[in-house]
């Protein structure tokens, strides 16, 4: 656990399950918007999300954020004011094809993500250029551990279950380059903006946020996060429905 000192200069925020519900078109509550904007008046604030940039623009706009953001789980860093790509870490074609071959065996729909383009495919041979991530969608929660374990055998990659935009008991699973995690995205944002780990606060809710929470001086889990996420966090805030992000900002940044 990190020492909580309230001396933070950078706030890193996950999107799905943290700022908004895991549904297309969802926006932060008015209280969360106000809290994030107030924080951004005092310190640097950046988004770190598994979403592509294009699918995050409405959330970014609602929060009035500028500067850098991390997208596709850590594969891309983009200047959100200009859309310019600052950094990209992709999987090679052979590695992406190996992961794709494993994923396809389970019979779920698999997308290849390149920037903001997500293309479904049915054969690994359809992958002809480096990939930001693979996305296996709507995997029943009861089967997710089996699929994750199989994909973890692909060397040089990182695999995470993430929120699915569905009301069913399913998750999505992402596969990306081992250096395209939220940890690496967070560390690059710190370096770009000149902030130390001790002055960085991060909030997330999912398994792919564990590296983000561990990368920050103060790692915060949402109140409705899985137990594995809460266990590694320095602090657990309230749930999404109770505006946990706003509670954390008010406690550690605005006081």
């Amino acid at each position: 656990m990190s020492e909580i000192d309230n001396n933070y200069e950078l706030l890193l925020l996950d999107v799905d399950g943290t700022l908004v519900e895991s549904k297309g078109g969802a926006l932060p509550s008015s209280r969360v918007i106000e809290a994030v904007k107030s924080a951004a008046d005092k310190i640097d604030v950046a988004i770190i999300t598994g979403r592509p940039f294009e699918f995050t623009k409405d959330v970014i706009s609602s929060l009035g954020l500028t500067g850098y953001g991390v997208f596709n789980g850590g594969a891309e860093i983009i200047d959100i004011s200009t859309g310019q790509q600052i950094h990209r870490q992709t999987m090679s074609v052979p590695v992406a094809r190996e992961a794709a071959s494993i994923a396809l065996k389970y019979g779920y729909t698999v997308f290849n993500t390149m920037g903001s383009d997500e293309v479904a495919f049915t054969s690994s041979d359809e992958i002809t250029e480096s990939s930001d991530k693979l996305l296996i969608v709507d995997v029943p929660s009861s089967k997710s551990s089996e699929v994750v374990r199989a994909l973890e055998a692909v060397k040089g990659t990182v695999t995470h279950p993430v929120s699915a935009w569905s009301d069913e008991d399913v998750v999505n699973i992402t596969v990306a380059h081992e250096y395209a995690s939220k940890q690496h995205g967070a560390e690059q944002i710190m370096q770009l903006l000149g902030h130390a780990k001790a002055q960085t606060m991060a909030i997330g809710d999912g398994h792919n946020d564990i590296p983000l929470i561990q990368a920050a001086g103060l790692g915060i889990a949402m109140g409705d996060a899985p137990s594995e996420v809460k266990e590694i966090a320095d602090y657990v805030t309230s749930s999404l429905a109770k505006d946990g992000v706003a509670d954390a900002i008010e406690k550690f940044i605005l006081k």
Side-chain angles (χ1 to χ4, degrees):
M1 296 291 181
S2 301
E3 183 178 353
I4 298 174
D5 62 9
N6 285 42
N7 184 29
Y8 300 106
E9 301 172 355
L10 173 63
L11 172 62
L12 303 175
L13 296 169
D14 169 52
V15 174
D16 289 292
T18 299
L19 285 170
V20 302
E21 289 185 275
S22 298
K23 294 183 178 180
L27 294 175
S29 71
S30 58
R31 182 178 169 223
V32 167
I33 290 172
E34 180 181 354
V36 172
K37 286 183 175 180
S38 296
D41 287 338
K42 297 184 65 175
I43 65 174
D44 289 319
V45 179
I47 292 292
I48 296 196
T49 178
R51 295 188 186 193
F53 177 47
E54 289 294 329
F55 299 165
T56 319
K57 282 184 173 180
D58 287 349
V59 174
I60 292 169
S61 178
S62 73
L63 298 171
L65 295 179
T66 57
Y68 301 117
V70 178
F71 303 92
N72 283 324
E76 283 190 295
I77 296 177
I78 291 175
D79 183 332
I80 60 178
S81 301
T82 65
Q84 179 184 1
Q85 186 181 81
I86 305 300
H87 172 79
R88 187 179 183 208
Q89 180 64 71
T90 59
M91 290 184 290
S92 67
V93 172
V95 170
R97 284 183 172 179
E98 181 183 353
S101 296
I102 294 171
L104 288 168
K105 290 178 181 178
Y106 288 91
Y108 305 114
T109 301
V110 184
F111 289 89
N112 184 23
T113 303
M114 297 158 289
S116 291
D117 294 326
E118 291 187 339
V119 181
F121 60 91
T122 57
S123 169
S124 60
D125 292 339
E126 295 175 51
I127 298 176
T128 58
E129 59 182 283
S130 57
S131 170
D132 289 334
K133 69 179 182 187
L134 299 183
L135 180 68
I136 304 97
V137 300
D138 294 341
V139 179
S141 297
S142 60
K143 298 288 187 181
S144 62
S145 295
E146 177 186 352
V147 179
V148 168
R149 282 195 301 270
L151 289 165
E152 285 177 338
V154 181
K155 292 182 179 180
T157 66
V158 60
T159 300
H160 292 292
V162 298
S163 300
W165 289 6
S166 171
D167 293 327
E168 304 297 324
D169 186 17
V170 295
V171 298
N172 294 341
I173 295 173
T174 63
V175 186
H177 191 284
E178 62 182 334
Y179 296 144
S181 72
K182 289 190 177 184
Q183 172 192 340
H184 294 91
E187 289 172 348
Q188 293 210 41
I189 291 289
M190 292 178 210
Q191 184 176 7
L192 284 166
L193 296 176
H195 299 303
K197 175 178 179 177
Q199 278 71 56
T200 300
M201 170 174 153
I203 311 176
D205 77 300
H207 291 90
N208 65 331
D209 293 314
I210 290 175
L212 169 61
I213 289 170
Q214 292 176 322
L218 175 61
I220 298 177
M222 296 294 288
D224 37 11
S227 58
E228 308 94 279
V229 180
K230 292 179 181 179
E231 287 169 3
I232 59 90
D234 301 303
Y235 179 80
V236 178
T237 187
S238 49
S239 66
L240 172 64
K242 294 183 178 180
D243 297 329
V245 167
D247 283 344
I249 289 174
E250 289 165 5
K251 181 177 180 66
F252 295 110
I253 295 174
L254 299 184
K255 285 188 177 181

